[in-house]
Amino acid sequence: MPVPELDAAEIAQLLADHPQWSLAREGKAITRTFQFRDFSEAWGFMSRVALLAEAQDHHPEWFNVYAKVEVTLTTHDAGDVGGLSARDARLARSIDGIV
Ligand code: H2B
């Protein structure tokens, strides 16, 4: 199912609302790196995000090394080759709400 891509103004608003996130993949994704104290905290965070992702049917791409978690959000079903959508804005808001 195609999902509408955010336009330039909506992307600017997304970044203004979530200053710890930055654009990646030529504007088709946003990314944020989280640093925790240890693996247990990082995994706890990932567990909580996993539950949010399932509830929202929107899933992060992420990379974890010990206490660090890099999260990238993009919508595969947006535009022709994927891009940012309201689903990414919603999940970023939810993730920011749990840290
Ligand atoms: N997650 C992300 N990040 N992008 C998607 O386009 C997407 C998803 N689509 N999770 C969902 C699941 C999907 O394919 C189902 C069928 O709705």
Side-chain angles (χ1 to χ4, degrees):
M1 271 280 269
V3 179
E5 273 191 275
L6 299 182
D7 65 24
E10 290 167 330
I11 291 173
Q13 187 63 53
L14 167 59
L15 295 171
D17 290 342
H18 302 282
Q20 286 140 318
W21 294 78
S22 53
L23 285 181
R25 299 185 194 165
E26 298 178 332
K28 300 290 188 191
I30 51 172
T31 186
R32 179 176 172 184
T33 297
F34 298 85
Q35 185 66 50
F36 298 97
R37 276 183 303 202
D38 54 27
F39 180 74
S40 180
E41 274 195 6
W43 185 253
F45 164 77
M46 293 174 78
S47 301
R48 297 172 77 190
V49 172
L51 295 175
L52 289 171
E54 278 292 270
Q56 296 180 15
D57 191 27
H58 196 63
H59 303 85
E61 297 175 27
W62 49 17
F63 179 72
N64 162 240
V65 178
Y66 188 54
K68 185 176 80 174
V69 184
E70 296 171 7
V71 178
T72 300
L73 302 180
T74 188
T75 301
H76 314 131
D77 297 338
D80 296 332
V81 294
L84 288 167
S85 77
R87 296 182 184 180
D88 302 302
R90 180 184 183 206
L91 188 54
R93 188 168 63 244
S94 298
I95 291 173
D96 282 357
I98 65 172
V99 287

